Amino acid sequence: MTEFIKFKNWTVQIEREAFRRSISMTVAVDKPIRVRTNLLCSNQKILEFLNEKEKWIQKNLSQFEKIKQQSPVLSFEDGAQFPFMGRDVILKKVITLGAKDFFSIFEDQLLWHTQKISFDSLSSQSGDFLSSNLSSLKIQKTFVQAYQRYAISELQKRVQWWSVKMNLKPSNVKFNQPKSRWGSCSSQGVINLNWKLIVFKPEIIDYVIVHELSHLKHMNHSPSFWGLVAEFCPDYKILRTDLRKNFYTPKFLDLN
Ligand SMILES: [Zn+2]
């Protein structure tokens, strides 16, 4: 049974179970505050409980705000920096004669190949090239597509490499971008990887791949599953924590 109440500016989700003895609470990023209690606990009592915990809630929520700011702001100014495989690549505009803009990544540079002519005419019209929303969105899409292209090719190579090393073969590897997972493995042996993993350092990417490949053998998170992960990725606990802490880093790749 789920119900919602308001406390200060927050939405609180209440979950009741008949035999729960005490009130407990969790807060999570982008989710309502969750209170669990029994069927008899009055809303008045829940509000008193929340009142007592207000400082704790405040502290945790403001920490979440900080976490959200981990992701760089998407800007197409020369010198803007973006995470790519755990390092920062620096945006640099280069003039091209080609008909279309495109991005390429070379060593620590993220090159924006753009046409001089369209750039000049646009900038003289509007004063600022990116003040036009339309062209800004178009550039953003091209940028995200480039990231995705690099991601898929890099992740494919790594899955291939680990698959040989672990002697575990997925029936297929697919790339997607679910909101809150980095990878999954179906009972048919299909591995799905979130291509936005590409922002993270190679060790983290490899951990996710090893994790999903291990599911081909153990479709659960049993001790034998973790044993297999640890065999190929001894630092998996640290890497998993790193990944959780940096959950919001790829946010700049969201198209809005
Ligand atoms: Zn898993």
Side-chain angles (χ1 to χ4, degrees):
M1 202 165 95
T2 305
E3 51 195 284
F4 294 92
I5 56 166
K6 276 265 172 227
F7 172 66
K8 312 270 164 166
N9 280 323
W10 302 309
T11 304
V12 182
Q13 181 180 338
I14 301 165
E15 284 169 22
R16 296 180 187 273
E17 270 174 44
F19 302 108
R20 205 172 270 281
R21 274 164 181 261
S22 58
I23 309 184
S24 68
M25 170 173 60
T26 51
V27 292
V29 180
D30 283 343
K31 284 191 180 147
I33 297 166
R34 219 165 106 190
V35 170
R36 289 161 146 174
T37 184
N38 56 40
L39 295 174
L40 299 172
C41 185
S42 67
N43 281 3
Q44 182 58 36
K45 214 163 172 202
I46 293 171
L47 287 172
E48 278 168 23
F49 170 78
L50 288 165
N51 240 326
E52 268 171 39
K53 301 280 181 194
E54 190 184 345
K55 272 213 173 111
W56 182 87
I57 300 173
Q58 197 87 57
K59 195 181 117 208
N60 278 281
L61 293 181
S62 64
Q63 252 166 16
F64 293 152
E65 279 314 306
K66 266 188 221 149
I67 293 172
K68 281 188 173 181
Q69 287 158 16
Q70 284 165 353
S71 192
V73 175
L74 193 56
S75 139
F76 294 103
E77 293 292 320
D78 257 353
Q81 295 189 13
F82 304 100
F84 181 80
M85 293 191 76
R87 60 179 208 267
D88 277 327
V89 287
I90 300 159
L91 185 79
K92 193 181 170 196
K93 260 176 238 163
V94 287
I95 304 306
T96 172
L97 294 172
K100 276 185 179 167
D101 281 27
F102 68 98
F103 290 87
S104 67
I105 296 172
F106 180 69
E107 292 176 350
D108 284 344
Q109 287 188 325
L110 174 64
L111 301 171
W112 175 11
H113 306 262
T114 187
Q115 288 169 283
K116 191 176 181 8
I117 295 160
S118 66
F119 179 77
D120 281 351
S121 58
L122 269 165
S123 62
S124 61
Q125 272 166 22
S126 61
D128 173 9
F129 178 47
L130 289 175
S131 64
S132 148
N133 275 334
L134 192 71
S135 64
S136 162
L137 184 65
K138 218 170 146 190
I139 290 302
Q140 198 187 342
K141 273 190 181 155
T142 313
F143 173 88
V144 171
Q145 277 161 6
Y147 248 84
Q148 187 175 20
R149 203 174 58 237
Y150 278 97
I152 290 175
S153 118
E154 184 64 35
L155 293 169
Q156 260 163 348
K157 269 190 274 177
R158 285 181 182 268
V159 172
Q160 177 66 27
W161 191 86
W162 281 108
S163 172
V164 171
K165 190 163 169 79
M166 297 172 75
N167 196 22
L168 289 166
K169 279 222 169 336
S171 60
N172 199 356
V173 183
K174 292 182 180 171
F175 299 93
N176 53 12
Q177 45 180 329
K179 272 220 151 66
S180 58
R181 27 184 3 184
W182 300 113
S184 62
C185 178
S186 79
S187 53
Q188 283 81 38
V190 179
I191 284 181
N192 289 287
L193 291 173
N194 188 332
W195 64 264
K196 290 179 183 174
L197 275 168
I198 200 66
V199 301
F200 299 119
K201 60 182 179 184
E203 293 87 338
I204 292 185
I205 298 174
D206 287 343
Y207 155 67
V208 175
I209 293 173
V210 168
H211 181 123
E212 298 312 332
L213 285 172
S214 298
H215 277 316
L216 293 172
K217 205 165 178 180
H218 305 282
M219 280 305 284
N220 50 40
H221 292 111
S222 61
S224 19
F225 165 82
W226 288 114
L228 182 60
V229 172
E231 202 180 305
F232 294 96
C233 186
D235 286 336
Y236 78 89
K237 279 188 184 161
I238 300 168
L239 296 166
R240 192 177 47 173
T241 310
D242 266 12
L243 188 57
R244 283 183 187 151
K245 273 196 213 148
N246 293 293
F247 183 81
Y248 277 97
T249 305
K251 221 168 168 36
F252 69 99
L253 293 170
D254 290 353
L255 286 172
N256 5 290

